Amino acid sequence: MSEDVPGPLDRAQWEAWSRKLLPPVQELGGGLWSIPVPLPLEALRYVLVYALELDDGVAIIDAGWDTDEAWSALTGGLGAAGFGIGDVRAVLVTHIHPDHYGLAHRIREESGAWVGLHPADAALLAVRYDDVDSLIEDNRVLLERIGTPEEQARELASASMAMRRFVSVAKPDRLIEDGQRLGLPGWDLRAVWTPGHSPGHLCFADEGRGVLFSGDHVLPRITPNISMHPQQRANPLQDFFDSLRKVDALDVHDVLPAHEYRFAGLSGRVAHLLAHHEERLDEIEKALGERPGAGCWEISSRLTWSRPWSSFDTHSKRAATGETLAHMVLLEQRGRLVRSGGRPERWWPPALLETSNGA
């Protein structure tokens, strides 16, 4: 499925992404800085941390992984902006995935900054990063329910546990609610709750400046993973659709995402993301028309991906099946699919299930 690419706002960032390089630390004007923090992931390569100058220091949006390399990049970037880590007053975390949240604890320890999260993500911290045995078991049960072979279900259930080493858990000092103004001097920053990629994903908007810090919610080239998993809401893809329309209504012209490069053209990008997922819904419905009674695992292996299903590693297969299940749940909510109980669950287009039952 083709992706429409919105216009980059900065050629240096765009060229760095295109050439698979780390972009420079940049002053974006008005007391705003962009600091790339490297990631050990080829597909993403870095997270863009944004530093907002205040009267008495700096606030940052997102933090990066908890690695020495990331710490050096963050502190070096702050230094280029004229600040030290001790000048950080606030860490606004868009969501609790390791590349956004992992360094928050270390930053707070060094600076005394407050850490802010949406309550829905804050509620997941203990099970996600501390007492993980129940989460692994819940993952295994879900994977077997969708038809994953037993041995692979056990392997995939703990696929993301390797990421724990990139996180030092920082319980939030402040819970940030939808619509809340952050009270940062010189900024009229407002939190916009955008569930989908995670239950508590936050964007931050300053409509007076025409700027949206979009986290992983809206990226210029790739679509965020919207998956069903034990820590998700009941219908995350519908949440994502609603959240896209929510940010599309904002009065902003510059989008500053957490990955790739900053861009203009939010409405066009939102329209493309919605259309992309509608195409995916159609593809899944068609696949089940050809294989009525199939499970989510089987359907996932038959869909169009960016590379062959057989080449997917463990983590990629879990992300892909979770994404497929999120689409199937939305199709069920729309009345376009139905499923059986039991293990594994079986899915049908309604008319084909009626035919099967009649036979």
Side-chain angles (χ1 to χ4, degrees), residues 274-297:
L274 291 169
H276 164 81
H277 284 286
E278 292 293 343
E279 290 176 16
R280 192 61 149 185
L281 291 165
D282 291 343
E283 183 183 10
I284 292 170
E285 186 177 31
K286 180 181 178 183
L288 275 159
E290 296 169 351
R291 301 284 294 184
C296 176
W297 176 267

Side-chain angles (χ1 to χ4, degrees), residues 42 77-79 95 109 179 181 205 207 254 289 300 327 345 354:
E42 184 179 353
L78 288 170
H95 60 297
E109 288 294 301
R181 297 195 180 276
E207 292 182 278
D254 292 1
S300 297
H327 284 76
E345 293 174 333
E354 292 168 8

